[in-house]
């Protein structure tokens, strides 16, 4: 008898141990598969967009003597941790592969924190995570700032977001030490994201302070603040050593916000459609938060309170940034980038939507129990979603506008309607389910073509071959200490030609002194709509050695051959490279 009981106890213990292993291995396996699928589905870019700003600093970290007279590089990198991590990896492999490895790391980090969020918030985390991964694949779920959470190139922003969201989730579970460590890492990679996350965590801690001793809340805030200061210390020391200037806060806001980055800082410049997307992001995230309080799938009511505190803190941050940029212009307000924190609304809003989608079978059962009213609700929502999908297929632009104009009002109206009807949120579930399926099935992207991409095939460079040929010509045949001028449509000159341009709109120095010098050069440069002859006039006046042009259209190329090239030769500039898409000129300086 005793032996039989011992055998049964051993079998139960073995079964429990197997269940624990499955509970650990299943999320890890799903996370790895999701990350591998994402890297394969979305090709990796090299040197594109903001990475064109990071790469020259990486080259300087690898070689301190790289472009010694470049003022932009002499200020030091804005993202210090990312620069030195990339330079360290580049010691063991090419810079292209180092960036590819960092892209894989950032995707793994992003999906790890998403899986952790699903486990903390929901009772059915795997199902929610899989549906959320599908939703995130579509650009409509990255409509405002969410793009920077899933950039197709390696950069500091996704790494910082992964660590920052992990810090918030750890604070939600009461793991203050883990939260502080992750917050310090996120701040090292991007101090702005670390600071906004600290505000959100502090608001969540204060809103839920009744569930813990008051002293514990205070100590947690102190530890998190110290972690943030420690992470931001390298950037603080960098800014302290830079030269100051006579620019006022209003002038700095004008240069940084109104000229260089209005798309991130000036809400009045967003345009109608982006404002609608902003309203949709905020309203849908709040609606899903309200639904979380009524759902059985929520793992903890305290988690909902933390999420509400996070939203409140981030809204306060956005409002403060708006005031310090557009009403009371200050340097701090300009560097705050207040609307980047909207990533939290997009990420957690989509996770909540995925939780509701995962309960679709239960919604149909609830509709049967409620009879004709339930089925009528599902049918009306399905009809609206099919209409949107039809518009998306026939007239893509109309479909996009229709989605943006109707999604937020419909969700808010559904919240009001279902507050009077008992049962599961039929209307919201049906709406989001049919919209997601319809939009994903009718996506204009060439889905079939992407299936052929292999996981380990990195698209190292998506710059046109003719443009890259011009960069390599300059790198191989032109001296590094010469003075270069580039056209206004050239962004990657520093990264690939590896030379210092007279003015580079893309590479903006965030110090006040650097911004002042950048602004002076900006005022001298002819605009993109001005004749190219004005660029040669400026080059002759500034005694530059080389000038590079890039042609965006056949008409511009024909104009160059007909008018600009003879004009340049009259100024003493001779063509040393021309391949139909780019041209490089060398100015002949007079003797003495």
């Amino acid at each position: 008898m005793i032996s039989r009981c011992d055998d049964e106890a051993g079998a139960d213990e073995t079964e429990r141990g197997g269940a624990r292993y499955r509970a650990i291995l299943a999320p890890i396996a799903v996370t790895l598969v999701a990350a591998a699928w994402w890297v394969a589905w979305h090709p990796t870019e090299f040197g594109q967009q903001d990475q064109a700003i990071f790469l020259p600093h990486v080259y300087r970290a690898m070689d301190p003597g790289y472009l010694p007279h470049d003022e932009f590089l002499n200020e030091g990198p804005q993202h210090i941790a990312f620069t030195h991590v990339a330079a360290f990896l580049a010691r063991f492999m090419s810079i292209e592969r180092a960036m590819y490895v960092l892209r894989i790391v950032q995707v793994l980090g992003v999906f790890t924190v998403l899986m952790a969020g699903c486990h903390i918030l929901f009772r059915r985390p795997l199902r929610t995570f899989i549906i959320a991964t599908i939703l995130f694949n579509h650009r409509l779920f990255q409509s405002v700032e969410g793009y920077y959470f899933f950039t197709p190139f390696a950069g500091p922003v996704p790494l910082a977001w992964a660590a920052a969201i992990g810090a918030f989730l750890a604070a939600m579970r009461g793991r203050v030490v883990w939260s502080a460590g992750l917050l310090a890492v996120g701040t090292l990679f991007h101090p702005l994201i670390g600071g906004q996350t600290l505000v959100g965590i502090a608001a969540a801690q204060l809103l839920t302070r009744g569930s813990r001793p008051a002293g514990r809340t205070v100590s947690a805030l102190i530890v998190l603040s110290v972690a943030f200061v420690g992470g931001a210390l390298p950037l603080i020391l960098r800014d302290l050593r830079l030269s100051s200037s006579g620019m006022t806060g209003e002038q700095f806001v004008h240069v940084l916000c109104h000229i260089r980055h209005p798309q991130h800082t000036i809400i009045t410049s967003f345009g109608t459609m982006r404002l609608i997307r902003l309203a949709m992001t905020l309203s849908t995230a709040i609606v899903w938060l309200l639904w979380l309080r009524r759902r059985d799938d929520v793992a903890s009511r305290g988690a909902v309170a933390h999420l509400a505190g996070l939203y409140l803190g981030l809204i306060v941050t956005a409002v403060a940034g708006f005031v310090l940029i557009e009403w009371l212009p200050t340097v701090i307000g300009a560097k705050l980038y207040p609307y980047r924190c909207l990533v939290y609304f997009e990420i957690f809003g989509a996770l909540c939507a995925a939780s509701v989608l995962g309960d679709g079978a239960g919604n149909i059962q609830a509709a049967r129990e409620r009879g004709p009213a339930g089925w009528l609700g599902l049918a009306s929502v399905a009809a609206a979603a099919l209409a949107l999908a039809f518009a998306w297929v026939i007239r893509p632009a109309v479909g996009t506008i229709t989605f943006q104009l109707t999604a937020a009002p419909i969700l808010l109206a559904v919240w009001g309607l279902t507050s009077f009807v008992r049962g599961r949120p039929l209307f919201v579930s049906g709406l989001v389910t049919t919209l997601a399926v319809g939009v994903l099935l009718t996506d204009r992207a060439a889905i079939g073509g992407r299936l052929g991409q292999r996981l380990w095939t990195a698209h190292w460079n998506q710059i046109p071959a003719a443009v890259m040929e011009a960069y390599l010509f300059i790198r191989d045949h032109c001296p590094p200490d010469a003075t270069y001028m580039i056209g206004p449509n050239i962004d990657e000159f520093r990264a690939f030609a590896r030379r210092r341009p007279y003015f580079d709109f893309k590479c903006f120095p965030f110090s006040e002194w650097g911004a002042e010098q950048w602004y002076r050069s900006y005022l001298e440069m002819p605009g993109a709509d001005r004749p190219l002859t004005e660029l040669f006039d400026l080059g002759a006046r500034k005694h530059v050695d080389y000038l590079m042009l890039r042609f965006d259209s056949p008409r511009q190329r024909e104009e160059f051959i007909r008018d600009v090239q003879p004009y340049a030769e009259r100024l003493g500039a001779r063509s040393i490279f021309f391949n139909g898409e780019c041209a490089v000129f060398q100015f002949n300086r007079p003797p003495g």
Side-chain angles (χ1 to χ4, degrees):
M1 179 65 70
I2 295 176
S3 176
R4 181 178 179 182
C5 291
D6 290 342
D7 291 342
E8 291 178 354
D12 292 341
E13 183 64 27
T14 302
E15 185 176 352
R16 284 194 297 270
R20 283 197 298 269
Y21 279 117
R22 287 194 297 272
I24 295 173
L25 294 178
I28 294 176
V30 172
T31 302
L32 291 176
V33 170
W37 171 75
W38 192 275
V39 173
W41 188 263
H42 301 272
T44 301
E45 297 178 2
F46 174 71
Q48 299 291 294
Q49 304 180 61
D50 287 350
Q51 200 177 84
I53 303 174
F54 311 142
L55 281 176
H57 286 295
V58 176
Y59 297 146
R60 170 65 70 86
M62 295 166 59
D63 177 13
Y66 175 74
L67 299 181
H69 303 297
D70 192 329
E71 294 85 356
F72 174 72
L73 295 181
N74 289 339
E75 284 199 351
Q78 182 79 3
H79 308 289
I80 299 172
F82 177 82
T83 299
H84 289 285
V85 169
F88 175 78
L89 291 176
R91 295 179 182 178
F92 309 100
M93 61 190 78
S94 66
I95 185 63
E96 294 88 354
R97 293 191 179 276
M99 289 296 177
Y100 188 51
V101 169
L102 282 175
R103 169 101 196 286
I104 294 175
V105 170
Q106 76 186 29
V107 171
L108 278 172
V110 164
F111 281 103
T112 299
V113 297
L114 290 179
M115 176 63 80
C118 291
H119 269 274
I120 293 173
L121 286 171
F122 308 110
R123 297 185 187 279
R124 304 174 182 87
L126 290 181
R127 184 169 65 185
T128 301
F129 174 82
I130 293 171
I131 297 174
T133 301
I134 297 173
L135 294 183
F136 284 131
N137 183 65
H138 199 277
R139 58 187 173 274
L140 291 179
F141 289 89
Q142 306 173 25
S143 58
V144 183
E145 292 286 350
Y147 166 78
Y148 293 96
F149 195 66
F150 297 101
T151 57
F153 55 87
V157 176
L159 292 167
W161 275 124
I165 292 178
F168 168 71
L169 294 174
M172 183 186 294
R173 296 294 299 271
R175 309 295 176 84
V176 177
V177 175
W178 276 97
S179 179
L182 289 170
L183 182 64
V185 172
T187 306
L188 275 172
F189 279 100
H190 203 296
L192 168 67
I193 293 174
Q196 293 181 348
T197 302
L198 175 61
V199 173
I201 293 176
Q205 291 288 313
L206 293 174
L207 192 65
T208 60
R209 65 186 183 279
S211 61
R212 69 181 75 86
R216 187 175 176 184
T217 299
V218 174
S219 61
L221 294 178
I222 292 175
V223 171
L224 291 169
S225 300
V226 170
F228 168 73
V229 173
L233 189 60
L235 185 63
I236 295 173
L237 295 176
R238 165 193 176 272
D239 288 344
L240 288 176
R241 71 172 175 80
L242 294 176
S243 303
S244 60
S245 73
M247 292 187 75
T248 64
E250 186 173 358
Q251 291 171 333
F252 189 81
V253 167
H254 173 72
V255 175
L256 175 59
C257 301
H258 291 270
I259 295 178
R260 181 60 185 90
H261 284 148
Q263 73 275 19
H264 296 306
T265 56
I266 306 296
I267 195 170
T268 53
S269 68
F270 281 6
T272 303
M273 289 310 303
R274 184 143 183 226
L275 288 175
I276 291 173
R277 292 171 182 171
L278 175 61
M280 186 188 76
T281 298
L282 294 175
S283 59
T284 50
I286 293 172
V287 167
W288 292 126
L289 181 64
L290 295 174
W291 276 124
L292 273 181
R293 300 179 61 188
R294 303 175 57 177
R295 288 183 53 76
D296 296 332
D297 190 36
V298 178
S300 169
R301 300 298 171 189
V304 178
H306 274 84
L307 202 55
L310 174 73
Y311 286 175
L312 179 61
L314 297 180
I315 289 175
V316 170
T317 301
V319 172
F322 173 80
V323 172
L324 294 177
I325 290 175
E326 305 204 31
W327 287 359
L328 302 171
T330 62
V331 174
I332 295 177
K335 294 183 178 182
L336 188 59
Y337 280 65
Y339 310 114
R340 183 150 288 181
C341 62
L342 296 175
V343 169
Y344 278 108
F345 291 90
E346 297 190 48
I347 297 302
F348 285 108
L351 288 181
C352 297
S355 173
V356 176
L357 285 174
D359 210 10
N363 293 328
I364 295 175
Q365 179 63 30
R368 292 179 58 187
E369 294 175 358
R370 292 173 56 194
W375 288 112
L376 179 62
L378 285 179
S380 62
V381 172
L386 289 175
L388 291 177
F390 179 78
W392 182 269
V393 173
I394 303 302
R395 296 285 299 277
V398 176
T400 304
I401 294 172
T402 305
F403 181 88
Q404 304 292 358
L405 287 175
T406 58
I410 286 178
L411 289 174
L412 291 174
V414 166
W415 164 249
L417 288 174
T418 51
S419 63
F420 299 101
V421 183
R422 293 184 178 182
R424 294 176 180 267
L426 302 178
F427 293 101
V428 174
S429 301
L431 173 66
V432 178
T433 302
T434 49
L435 272 179
V437 173
V439 170
L440 287 172
L441 290 179
T442 58
D443 191 355
R444 288 173 291 171
I447 294 178
R450 293 187 181 184
L451 292 175
Q453 296 170 353
R454 295 191 300 272
L455 172 61
W456 299 109
T457 302
H459 293 240
W460 297 131
N461 190 4
Q462 293 187 354
I463 297 175
V467 180
M468 195 63 191
E469 183 185 6
Y471 290 149
L472 294 178
F473 174 85
I474 292 174
R475 190 195 304 179
D476 296 336
H477 297 90
C478 302
D481 56 347
T483 306
Y484 296 84
M485 185 168 286
I486 58 176
N489 58 343
I490 298 175
D491 292 334
E492 315 91 0
F493 187 82
R494 264 192 179 91
F496 291 106
R498 301 192 182 183
R499 298 293 185 266
R500 175 178 65 92
Y502 175 77
F503 175 77
D504 187 349
F505 184 83
K506 185 74 173 177
C507 296
F508 181 85
F510 282 84
S511 70
E512 296 171 56
W513 181 87
E516 185 177 17
Q517 306 307 311
W518 183 92
Y519 184 53
R520 289 177 180 174
S521 301
Y522 169 80
L523 293 177
E524 294 177 339
M525 294 291 292
D529 57 342
R530 302 298 300 165
L532 292 176
T533 53
E534 295 186 9
L535 194 63
F536 281 92
D537 288 335
L538 179 62
R541 291 199 306 270
K542 296 298 180 180
H543 302 290
V544 302
D545 298 306
Y546 296 91
L547 189 149
M548 176 181 170
L549 298 175
R550 178 179 177 179
F551 312 115
D552 293 328
S553 65
R555 183 189 61 80
Q556 196 176 40
R557 182 170 58 248
E558 293 171 2
E559 178 187 349
F560 164 78
I561 296 174
R562 184 183 65 249
D563 302 326
V564 179
Q565 188 167 2
Y567 184 84
E569 292 173 352
R570 290 195 297 270
L571 289 178
R574 63 185 181 92
S575 176
I576 60 174
F577 177 87
F578 179 73
N579 62 2
E581 191 167 339
C582 295
V584 179
F585 283 80
Q586 181 179 9
F587 281 86
N588 297 320
R589 292 184 175 180

